[in-house]
Amino acid sequence: MEAAALIVGTPIALVTIVGEDEQWFKAKIGIDVEGTAREISFCSVAIADCTEPLIVEDAAKDPRFAENPLVTGPPAIRFYAGVALISDKGNAVGTIAIADTKPRTISASQIEELQRISRKASVLVGLRRRAHAIAGTLALDRTLADENADWLRTHDELTSLPLREVIRDWIEILGDEARGDTLGTAMQGKNASPSSIVAVGLIHFHEINSRLGREAGDQIIKKIAQIIASELPERALLTKISTTGFAALLRDTDPSQASVIAERVRKRLQVPITPPGGSPTEVSASVATATTGPSAEFTPDQLLAAIDEASAAAKALGSEVLVEADRELVASSTRRTTMREALATALNSNELRVHYMPIVRLGDGEVSSHEALARWRNSRFGDVEPEEFIVVAEEYGLVARLDAFVLRQALADFASGKVGGDAISVNLSPAGVTSETASEIFSALRDAHVPHECLTIEVTEREALATNPLLTDTLVELAAGHVQVALDDFGSGVTSLSHLVALPIGLLKLDQSLTRNLVGPVRERGLAIVEAIVTLSKRLGLDVVAEGIESEEQIKILELAGVTTGQGMLLGAPMPAGTT
Ligand code: C2E
Ligand code: MG
Ligand code: MG
């Protein structure tokens, strides 16, 4: 019954049993009375023809109900939709009904959901009976079981919302309609209208589950479903497309309307959520939209893929922005998926290379160590920037293998003297860290006969640094084993000083942007920041390396600020082993 109210968004929902003279409300939301006389009940009309749902969009204008006391007096019903509940003997015994005090409309997808809910409720009634008296024919058992299986297959257990395949079915219908348009009678052309999807994805919801417990997490998700439903227009079909993702299909809604609705949902979810009996909890939710229709960017067939891409992009950007799917976004996703396959092959076929970039003492220009950087040239994509393929590797779970390859190659090149300096630095993506990572790094060191003190592991602060507890353990283990840990790209915008306290960092690598700011219009502020970081590092006993040095002037200012080591194109570009 809650599901019925959620799907259509009405304030009143009822499960009724219709008797000879009366109807009783077995369960109810939004109405006080326990039942009504049968002669004035809407539901008795609904069950008179139990094959069709009874939809009354405006009771005041319907001659069958205009004079009904439930319409003319409290609760002043205007809208009603009821579907018969069929008992295991095949009789209509009552209804699942929803009602509102204002007139409204209901979409075909919502009616179908209502019918599903009623079949599910009928099954429950049937099953409960059978528990008391083991009667009922085998054939009947079968249909009940099928009905139940159909429900479980297509509905989310927690919220009772329809699952992804239900929205997919409805999108398919849009596709059929659109194809009808292109074959085209003038009439169909006129009827073609845009449809939109608004998707909501919960970010890091597992943290809420682990902090408050699974049960509280479930309550919060239910509450979120209600909040989203309450912000949707009346004919929208809300579905649950993943464990922490919702998508609503809005027919006759153009992109600008869809973004207004999506913005409303986004804003509502920024307010802490209080589940029944719980305390206010902040959730982080991403919101995205995609639209199909005559002038929209996508055909219905592309709509679900488009919303998936937009949702992924929205998730990466967080709860502050709304992402609207466009062609460019979807094209880049196609590139990413093909790149994933190529990268997986590359990892098996030695297509990846490692280049080494010198890290230099600014005072005398002496190379103190090198940073190993992954390089990838692919027959299809050409030279791919690490910024691009590392992200693909992280997204598709390939980065641990990539990092392990670079580590072993770098240690071998360092051990054989092909790469000079006293030490070697290797990047480690937090996304690929497992409980085995530290011991894998130690065994790579052992295999290459490189002392632990000669290795620096660089971690870049992306979101995982804060959220992956395994990473902290791994870094602590590495530091305890005398491997130096460096915080890469320090000051690039996502850095939090708290990591300097929580993680066993021995080296800070100043982000290129800080070095760039030392010259040019913001030089005064740029210098103040670098000086402050140097002071902080001294207090914490950290080494500092400046990244992105491209001019002598930057070196001078860095030395004035107390930075003694640097890396950058001026000092040496990344090169293959043996040429450094
Ligand atoms: P990073 O670890 O901060 O590496 C430094 C990046 O800055 C390198 O880019 C380097 O070529 C570039 N760079 C250094 N000095 C200068 C300069 O003066 N001017 C300019 N324009 N660029 C400079 P690259 O090789 O493209 O790597 C980009 C990022 O990709 C790296 O940033 C690192 O985060 C990631 N990455 C590279 N190799 C690996 C790897 O094996 N594993 C992982 N997990 N990440 C890697
Ligand atoms: Mg690095
Ligand atoms: Mg860096």
Side-chain angles (χ1 to χ4, degrees), residues 325-468:
D326 57 25
R327 282 215 184 95
E328 210 175 296
L329 182 83
V330 174
S332 74
S333 90
T334 316
R335 178 176 162 92
R336 278 210 312 275
T337 29
T338 24
M339 189 173 281
R340 170 193 56 175
E341 282 154 31
L343 191 56
T345 316
L347 279 167
N348 292 328
S349 62
N350 291 327
E351 227 173 74
L352 287 166
R353 297 271 173 273
V354 183
H355 283 191
Y356 299 91
M357 189 175 203
I359 296 173
V360 174
R361 277 208 303 266
L362 297 179
D364 55 10
E366 196 68 26
V367 172
S368 57
S369 65
H370 284 91
E371 175 175 5
L373 294 163
R375 294 289 177 263
W376 183 32
R377 174 174 292 174
N378 175 262
S379 54
R380 173 167 182 171
F381 297 105
D383 284 323
V384 190
E385 289 291 328
E387 301 283 13
E388 185 174 10
F389 70 77
I390 297 290
V391 172
V392 171
E394 287 179 341
E395 227 168 77
Y396 294 104
L398 299 169
V399 82
R401 276 170 65 203
L402 187 149
D403 281 348
F405 164 78
V406 172
L407 172 72
R408 287 196 169 259
Q409 184 67 51
L411 290 176
D413 288 339
F414 177 74
S416 68
K418 278 194 206 148
V419 175
D422 303 327
I424 184 92
S425 290
V426 174
N427 294 284
L428 177 71
S429 278
V433 166
T434 67
S435 55
E436 306 300 310
T437 302
S439 53
E440 283 164 8
I441 291 173
F442 290 137
S443 46
L445 282 162
R446 195 171 48 241
D447 295 347
H449 305 289
V450 173
H452 290 193
E453 290 76 9
C454 295
L455 178 64
T456 297
I457 292 288
E458 300 189 5
V459 284
T460 302
E461 196 156 326
R462 304 215 181 97
E463 51 165 337
L465 209 57
T467 55
N468 184 353

Side-chain angles (χ1 to χ4, degrees), residues 543-554:
D543 293 331
V544 175
V545 172
E547 292 190 272
I549 298 176
E550 291 178 345
S551 70
E552 292 289 352
E553 194 187 354
Q554 287 168 330

Side-chain angles (χ1 to χ4, degrees), residues 294-313:
S295 60
E297 305 229 12
F298 306 108
T299 63
D301 303 334
Q302 297 166 328
L303 194 58
L304 211 50
I307 197 70
D308 283 343
E309 280 319 313
S311 301

Side-chain angles (χ1 to χ4, degrees), residues 60-173:
K61 297 212 178 95
D62 188 316
R64 289 172 297 175
F65 303 106
E67 300 303 322
N68 189 304
L70 299 174
V71 177
T72 54
I77 287 173
R78 296 290 292 276
F79 167 82
Y80 172 92
V83 184
L85 275 174
I86 314 290
S87 78
D88 50 3
K89 296 200 180 66
N91 304 323
V93 292
T95 58
I96 289 274
I98 50 174
D100 203 339
T101 52
K102 54 185 199 316
R104 60 188 295 157
T105 55
I106 181 167
S107 62
S109 54
Q110 289 171 322
I111 293 176
E112 180 156 329
E113 268 310 306
L114 213 52
Q115 285 174 319
R116 277 211 171 104
I117 292 167
S118 111
R119 288 202 297 270
K120 162 77 173 169
S122 305
V123 169
L124 287 179
V125 172
L127 290 178
R128 223 174 283 141
R129 291 233 181 112
R130 262 181 308 148
H132 289 297
I134 307 166
T137 66
L138 259 177
L140 199 56
D141 279 354
R142 266 298 284 278
T143 53
L144 292 175
D146 288 351
E147 215 49 272
N148 206 26
D150 175 61
W151 173 271
L152 291 176
R153 193 174 50 75
T154 49
H155 287 78
D156 175 49
E157 212 176 321
L158 176 62
T159 57
S160 297
L161 285 173
L163 291 172
R164 188 182 180 89
E165 56 195 295
V166 175
I167 201 168
R168 198 194 311 119
D169 289 349
W170 285 103
I171 290 172
E172 222 163 79
I173 292 172

